Amino acid sequence: MSNTIKTRFAPSPTGYMHIGNLRTALYSYLLSKSQGGKFILRIEDTDQERLVEGATDVIIKTLEMTGIDYDEGPGVGGENGPYIQSERLPIYKEYAEQLVKSGHAYYCFCTPERLESLKDDKGIGGYDGHCRDLSAEEIEKNLSEGKPYVIRQRMPDEGTTSYVDLVYGEVVMDNSELRDQIMIKADGYPTYNFCHVVDDHLMGVTHVVRGNEYLTSTPKYCLLYDAFGWERPNYVHLPLLMGKDEDGNVSKLSKRHGAVSFQDLVNDGYLPEAIVNYIALLGWCPKDTNQEFFTMDELKANFSIEGLSKSPAVFDYEKLKWFNSEYIKKLPDDEYNEKALPILNELCEDYINTRKLGELLHTRISSFSEIKDQVRFVTSRLEMTDDLYTNKKNKTTPELCKGILEDCLPKLREVSDWNNDTLFALLKDYSAEKELKAGAVMWAVRVAIARQGITPGGATELMEVFGKDETVSRIEQAINELQ
Ligand code: GLU
């Protein structure tokens, strides 16, 4: 199966899953799965200063929740493990030494002070190649004195290095612009710049899919492949994810635009399926179809590199909301209840019929976090004014409504079978008897108990939600206030 495509997702465990990273994982996964390939998860934790406890679990959980399943990786295993870089340190050392031997890398003993002195006043400074040509004796002496050292990649002095990115096309770099970057640090840990190349090769990765911030450093990685005599992988760099600024401009998606981590979006009430569907379309579009809704299987069937765009994609929270509301509407009742009921039960008094209330909200929310606001009229008695009773269409006035409420209150007190059908019949009969529009009676009762003009559900549905005692009590209060 040597032609099998293999991709990977290689996040650094920084504590949360940025939406941009999740999109990278998704595209990498889809590229592989659209062609029956394999997908690897590799944890890049060699920057010990940036380690966050529990961060790997967040990554694994996010992939699990979004249905991005990996064939090799932590917890799953595979023939190319371990899949956590900090568990692979001897491998990197061995490969770095190999390049030292072949002359593509060298030991550098420069002190931090010396490197500091190379920087300009903006704090920017490259390395001047001071240790490039140390003699074998000098190196031996430094090592025997226990001097700390790093291993650097020796960049060619002239010529160019180029590669063809499958999204961006040819990228050419003058070698003279490439600095002798560090491969192994003084603490023995490898840098990302070095170890990801070793891993991608050893793990058999055929397509490197990642953010385009690596587009221009990739020539350096290509030189590493060349130095080892390895075949270079294909590169698929992805356009940036942007957010809309208040002034109408766009900038790299960050916290000031809103929630940017997968978990925060979930906490805000977005469904993983809706998030995945939406971000799949942020930089990719399917060929020959205007389809907007995709299951993971449909994404796998439709994905191709040709559909990827070079231009930055703008994250639009309104559009995500719309996707989410459509996904919520499509949720089967039991799944919807599983999410909505705990929230409603937490917010509402015991006598509230939360199941019924949840039903009324099912098609009216675009995220579960909206429930709290939507049910404020249930969880408290809102301030209201008499003009809410005035309705042109039903020809109601506060005076008319007051009469209706006074008539209906004793009838409602008598009802033993408190449900929508009984209550509806009761109000309907009453309106017929009084030769009133049914709409007028419903209006009066609905406004009196909800204390707001727009509600999920009609009068009798809300009466069922409130239950008899609360309905009666709210109507009593309304009559008093109408005095
Ligand atoms: N650990 C790198 C990051 O999170 C991975 C880049 C890559 O995919 O090569 O940015």
Side-chain angles (χ1 to χ4, degrees), residues 8-12 21 24 42 44 192 196 200 208-211 213-214:
R8 53 39 165 205
F9 175 48
S12 304
N21 280 347
T24 300
R42 181 175 74 229
E44 302 207 321
Y192 160 77
H196 87 275
D200 282 340
V208 169
V209 181
R210 64 182 164 209
E213 63 269 34
Y214 296 101

Side-chain angles (χ1 to χ4, degrees), residues 414-472:
E414 296 303 309
V415 175
S416 55
D417 185 15
W418 193 267
N419 64 53
N420 186 34
D421 293 344
T422 313
L423 295 164
F424 192 81
L426 183 148
L427 295 187
K428 195 110 208 288
D429 290 350
Y430 164 74
S431 64
E433 176 194 317
K434 290 279 175 178
E435 290 178 14
L436 286 165
K437 281 174 100 168
V441 176
M442 300 297 171
W443 184 273
V445 174
R446 193 175 59 83
V447 165
I449 62 176
R451 308 173 67 82
Q452 67 180 12
I454 296 171
T455 55
T460 52
E461 287 169 312
L462 292 181
M463 290 161 88
E464 194 177 326
V465 165
F466 281 119
K468 183 171 171 178
D469 291 350
E470 177 69 7
T471 300
V472 165

Side-chain angles (χ1 to χ4, degrees), residues 109-176:
F109 297 93
C110 288
T111 59
E113 294 74 33
R114 177 166 193 282
L115 296 175
E116 197 58 37
S117 72
L118 297 174
K119 289 186 179 163
D120 62 18
D121 24 324
K122 287 195 195 97
I124 300 170
Y127 178 63
D128 60 358
H130 185 258
C131 296
R132 273 191 146 199
D133 300 306
L134 295 182
S135 66
E137 292 75 37
E138 279 172 292
I139 295 172
E140 217 32 68
K141 181 167 170 285
N142 285 339
L143 288 179
S144 63
E145 283 171 6
K147 276 197 187 162
Y149 67 90
V150 301
I151 298 179
R152 288 185 186 271
Q153 182 182 356
R154 186 192 299 271
M155 300 296 177
D157 296 321
E158 45 199 39
T160 58
T161 303
S162 63
Y163 71 100
V164 177
D165 182 84
L166 296 183
V167 174
Y168 288 86
E170 190 177 34
V171 178
V172 187
M173 201 66 150
D174 271 330
N175 291 336
S176 60

